[in-house]
Amino acid sequence: MAVDDRYLNSFTVPDAYPMVTVNEILNKMGSANYISLFDAKNGYWQIPVAEEDQWKTTFVTHDGLYQWTSMPFGLRNAGSTFVRATKTILRPVSAFADTYVDDMSVGSV
């Protein structure tokens, strides 16, 4: 589902969380004999929207008004929030694993 969040995004303070580049991931994985890649399909939806902020995500359909309870694609800081959460989860194995947007890679010997 696609929702036009431009109005909400215009009031959202940007989250300047640093994202790794593809080259940084390739350098980290370069010495691995095997590289496993994982796509977190619908991964954004695993992050809840704070209950007090859900009203801000309200959108109109032919059936009425709805609001997101989990983070949708299209919000200004969705990517940063998801990468931060994924990096936190991967921290114990960060020597041989990393994330790029919603994709993860794990290198092994």
Side-chain angles (χ1 to χ4, degrees):
M1 178 179 350
V3 176
D4 184 358
D5 291 313
R6 287 180 289 188
Y7 185 73
L8 174 59
N9 288 340
S10 71
F11 293 98
T12 303
V13 176
D15 179 8
Y17 188 79
M19 303 260 196
V20 298
T21 65
V22 173
N23 285 339
E24 290 172 317
I25 292 175
L26 290 173
N27 287 335
K28 183 184 273 190
M29 300 297 144
S31 62
N33 290 333
Y34 301 97
I35 299 172
S36 301
L37 302 173
F38 305 94
D39 180 24
K41 184 178 181 216
N42 300 330
Y44 284 36
W45 293 351
Q46 305 308 310
I47 298 176
V49 173
E51 196 168 328
E52 65 271 13
D53 292 327
Q54 290 175 5
W55 68 272
K56 297 173 187 173
T57 67
T58 302
F59 57 96
V60 180
T61 72
H62 65 281
D63 288 329
L65 298 175
Y66 292 90
Q67 53 188 235
W68 291 98
T69 57
S70 57
M71 185 174 62
F73 291 94
L75 292 183
R76 182 174 200 160
N77 293 326
S80 300
T81 301
F82 185 75
V83 168
R84 180 180 285 113
T86 307
K87 287 231 180 242
T88 300
I89 292 166
L90 293 176
R91 188 168 290 133
V93 293
S94 63
F96 54 88
D98 214 335
T99 181
Y100 182 77
V101 188
D102 69 341
D103 298 312
M104 287 150 271
S105 58
V106 178
S108 56
V109 181

